Amino acid sequence: MAGPGKAARGKCRWIGLRIPSGASSRDSSEDLLGTVLEGLRWRMYDHKPGPDGSATAIVRVPLSDCESATSRINSEEGWHTLTRSGKIRLVRKRLELD
C-alpha cells in the first residue's frame, strides 16, 4: 500500500544549526536536541562534528513548529541557527554539507 500523498504529509522546514561542545557524536547531539526541542516534532537528518567538539546539524520540523524551534535553539547558551529553508538541498548547500 502506498503512503500518503505529498499534500497529506504537510509542510516542513529544515533548520541548519550549530550545537556547542559536547555534541561530537550523533547520539549526543540527538540527546541535546531532545531536551531543547522537547514537546515538538523533529528529526535530525545530517550531523557533522567540528574540530572543537561542536557540531553542525540539520533538523526537520513541521512548518507550524518552526518559529518555536528556532526561538528555543537560539535561546540556549552557545546554540544558534545558521539557516532555514523549505528545501534540505538549500540548507546543505549553505552549510557546505553536500
Side-chain angles (χ1 to χ4, degrees):
M1 187 171 145
K6 185 174 179 180
R9 288 192 301 257
K11 293 185 180 233
C12 68
R13 287 291 177 261
W14 303 90
I15 302 173
L17 61 125
R18 176 70 40 113
I19 303 171
S21 60
S24 57
S25 74
R26 185 176 180 93
D27 290 336
S28 62
S29 294
E30 285 183 338
D31 291 342
L32 291 169
L33 276 166
T35 58
V36 172
L37 300 177
E38 185 177 353
L40 299 178
R41 294 171 293 161
W42 63 275
R43 181 173 174 203
M44 185 167 66
Y45 276 74
D46 291 351
H47 178 268
K48 182 180 178 183
D52 59 350
S54 66
T56 303
I58 297 178
V59 177
R60 183 192 72 192
V61 296
L63 179 62
S64 59
D65 293 340
C66 184
E67 290 299 323
S68 177
T70 302
S71 65
R72 286 186 190 189
I73 291 167
N74 289 327
S75 68
E76 289 292 314
E77 179 83 27
W79 293 59
H80 59 278
T81 57
L82 303 171
T83 185
R84 63 183 187 180
S85 176
K87 299 183 185 299
I88 191 171
R89 177 180 51 83
L90 294 175
V91 175
R92 284 179 174 152
K93 184 176 179 182
R94 292 172 188 162
L95 298 178
E96 299 174 354
L97 294 177
D98 48 348

